[in-house]
């Protein structure tokens, strides 16, 4: 904080000294009546304020950039040469004040990044040789056990080994309510303990923590340029030399050097140049505070145009923790335990999300699952084929049975019946016989329906669910969530094709998924949105928008913020263009002096910045969305 205060004092030092010299010059002229001494002091004020401006102008010229600083420098030097000392001092003094205010307010718009840096932990308490040792957080070794006590910051990303406590995770997920943690739960660096005692094994340290990745991401995003900003940069590159030519032409034709120099100052596109980046920085900063990471200005601008949202089902509209609900026995002479046992032995070697509930149910019913299958072969979009004790076991959908020539029998009707209830049916066949069907159901997120409603309120015309599950299951969940369209039984490449088709129809498409399984569709969409990115390095780095918590309502919140940010940019451009146009007209038709023009110009810069800073406030629409976040319980299907 001491360094920040020092920088703040240094920022104001030059305009303060220049202003005092201007006052001294006026006092000398009035009290002593010595015009020569007064002029010398006034020139000194111009030199003090103008030197940093001239240095920046020279550096820009070495990089072949003709910028605002050059216009002010030329105008100030010209004013001194023709004896307009007050004009030279006033212009440079006002420009120095404007620059100091601009830096101060820009730093304010970067407050989200400053707050993230501030929550970074400094110290850690680790167990070494059976003793508690306090060390700098950066010296924690991967795998060490870290102690998190009441009121302390978590210094690493890790997994709770023992203990119970509550953590404030607002800095990571934007969630204001404390989260209870116990054995097996993940914790993140920079979160704060509100109570309890946790022993945490470090799984991410230093620059490899979620907090460090977020800080890096926000830094890059706030510096990234939107398409409009790139256009304005190109415009300024032509506009600034154009103003210089206009000033020379007017000065030569009228023989009025002061008029030419005044045009140089008035034509400064300062508010125009800053109008877009200040809005982007503020918008991305506000999003970061709310647990929404936006990759950069270009993606913020594109998000404002989204009119179709495509969402994955598992882990997005649903919680992604499916449970076994049904075991339907179809084989003669078999019972529930045998059907479930064969399914568990087959799924023991599977990485599919639906394998876990089957294995958990088998363990809960005391069924033995001896080791891994002899051979496991996943069949994309259909299921899995394994070899167990020399026998072929199929676990999957009807298409898998057809591929291997197994008679469906009663399986089709039974599978449809389960699917109509929102269950995902998984048919188990050993060799050529269908043994039965297992039904697995996920739970619809409580905020799914609210998300769809809020998306529509924010201008999204259509919400489409893309799922690899069966149509009956997809439609059951889609009905609860209130989506407009369900496309089911899709392979990853089918999801990609669906997104591409929507784009060909002229839509701006956002794809919401888990950042891994839906990678092709996420990459193809205009905006890829990763859900629950806290702790996922891949999601944070690759998604255009990463929602740090598992809160679906962050998506309409992000789109709402993007639209408000783009509107803010347009307002700023309008203010800047109107100000420059009016001032130029005022100079050409008389009445606007160099000092008055610079004063109005700097005022327009401050108006633009103040307008952008409105984005830092939590919007009323965001508060309404946040209030809808907490629903009583999950919706079972």
């Amino acid at each position: 904080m001491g360094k920040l205060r020092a920088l703040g004092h240094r920022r104001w030092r030059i305009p303060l000294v220049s202003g005092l010299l201007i006052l001294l010059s006026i006092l000398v002229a009035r009290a002593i009546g010595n015009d020569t001494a007064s002029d010398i002091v006034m020139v000194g004020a111009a030199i003090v304020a103008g030197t940093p401006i001239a240095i920046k102008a020279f550096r820009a010229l070495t990089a072949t950039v003709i910028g605002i600083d050059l216009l002010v420098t030329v105008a100030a030097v010209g004013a001194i040469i023709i004896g307009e000392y007050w004009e030279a001092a006033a212009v440079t003094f006002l420009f120095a004040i404007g620059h100091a205010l601009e830096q101060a307010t820009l730093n304010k718009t970067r407050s989200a990044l400053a707050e993230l840096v501030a929550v970074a932990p400094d110290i850690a308490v680790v167990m070494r040789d059976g003793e508690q040792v306090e060390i700098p957080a950066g010296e924690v070794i991967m795998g060490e056990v870290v102690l998190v006590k009441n009121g302390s910051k978590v210094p690493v990303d890790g997994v709770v080994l023992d203990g119970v406590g509550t953590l404030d995770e607002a800095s990571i997920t934007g969630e204001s309510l404390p989260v209870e943690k116990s054995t097996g739960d993940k914790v993140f660096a920079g979160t704060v303990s509100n109570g309890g005692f946790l022993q945490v094994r470090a799984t991410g340290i230093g620059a490899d923590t979620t907090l460090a990745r977020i800080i890096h991401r926000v830094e890059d995003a706030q510096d990234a340029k939107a398409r409009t900003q790139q256009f304005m940069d190109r415009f300024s590159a032509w506009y600034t030399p154009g103003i210089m030519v206009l000033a020379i032409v007017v000065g030569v034709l009228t023989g009025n050097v002061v008029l030419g120099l005044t045009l140089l100052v008035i034509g400064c596109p300062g508010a125009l140049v800053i109008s877009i980046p200040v809005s982007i920085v503020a918008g991305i900063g506000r999003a970061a505070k709310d647990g929404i990471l936006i990759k950069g200005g270009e993606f913020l601008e594109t998000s404002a145009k989204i009119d179709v949202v495509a969402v994955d089902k598992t882990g997005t509209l649903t919680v992604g923790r499916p449970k076994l609900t049904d075991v339907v026995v179809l084989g003669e002479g078999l019972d529930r335990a045998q059907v479930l046992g064969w399914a568990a032995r087959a799924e023991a070697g599977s990485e599919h999300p639906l394998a876990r509930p089957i294995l958990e149910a088998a363990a809960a019913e005391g069924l033995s699952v001896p080791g891994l299958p002899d051979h496991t072969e996943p069949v994309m979009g259909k299921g899995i084929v394994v070899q167990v004790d020399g026998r072929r076991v199929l676990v999957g959908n009807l298409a898998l049975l057809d591929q291997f020539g197994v008679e469906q029998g009663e399986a089709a009707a039974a599978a449809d019946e389960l699917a109509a209830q929102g269950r995902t049916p998984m048919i188990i066949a050993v060799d050529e016989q269908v043994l039965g069907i297992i039904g697995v159901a996920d739970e619809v997120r409580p905020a799914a329906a609210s998300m769809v409603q809020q998306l529509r309120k924010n201008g999204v015309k259509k919400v489409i669910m893309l799922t690899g599950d069966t149509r009956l299951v997809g439609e059951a969940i889609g009905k609860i969530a209130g989506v407009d369209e369900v496309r089911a039984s899709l392979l990853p490449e089918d999801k990609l094709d669906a997104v591409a088709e929507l784009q060909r129809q002229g839509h701006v498409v956002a794809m919401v998924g888990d950042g891994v399984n839906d990678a092709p569709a996420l990459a193809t969409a205009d905006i890829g949105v990763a859900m629950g990115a806290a702790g996922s390095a891949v999601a944070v780095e690759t998604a255009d928008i990463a929602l740090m918590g598992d809160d679906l309502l962050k998506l309409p919140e992000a789109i709402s913020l993007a639209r408000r940010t783009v509107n803010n940019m347009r307002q700023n451009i309008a203010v800047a263009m109107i100000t420059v146009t009016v001032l130029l007209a005022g100079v050409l038709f008389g009445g606007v002096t160099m000092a008055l023009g610079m004063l109005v110009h700097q005022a327009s810069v401050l108006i633009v910045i103040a307008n952008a800073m409105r984005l830092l406030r939590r919007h009323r629409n965001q508060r309404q969305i946040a209030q809808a976040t907490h629903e009583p319980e999950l919706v079972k299907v």
Side-chain angles (χ1 to χ4, degrees), residues 95-183:
F95 193 80
I97 286 182
H99 180 70
L101 286 170
E102 180 182 315
Q103 289 303 310
T105 47
L106 273 175
N107 287 342
K108 175 67 175 175
T109 63
R110 291 184 181 269
S111 59
L113 184 58
E115 288 176 15
L116 285 173
V117 173
V119 302
D122 300 318
I123 60 171
V125 178
V126 298
M127 294 298 297
R128 291 183 177 175
D129 299 325
E131 296 183 0
Q132 296 185 26
V133 182
E134 189 174 289
I135 61 173
E139 294 181 8
V140 177
I141 300 170
M142 189 75 81
E144 272 195 307
V145 176
V146 178
L147 305 182
V148 180
K149 304 177 182 181
N150 183 22
S152 64
K153 292 179 182 177
V154 180
V156 296
D157 282 4
V159 177
V160 178
L161 293 179
D162 192 21
V164 177
T166 56
L167 297 180
D168 179 354
E169 295 187 335
S171 59
I172 302 296
T173 66
E175 174 58 62
S176 58
L177 296 177
V179 180
E180 187 170 309
K181 299 290 182 178
S182 57
T183 304

Side-chain angles (χ1 to χ4, degrees), residues 2 63 125 130 223-224 233 292 294 316 318 329 373 545 574:
V125 178
D223 290 334
D233 287 346
I292 302 165
I294 301 175
T316 303
T318 63
V329 180
I545 296 178

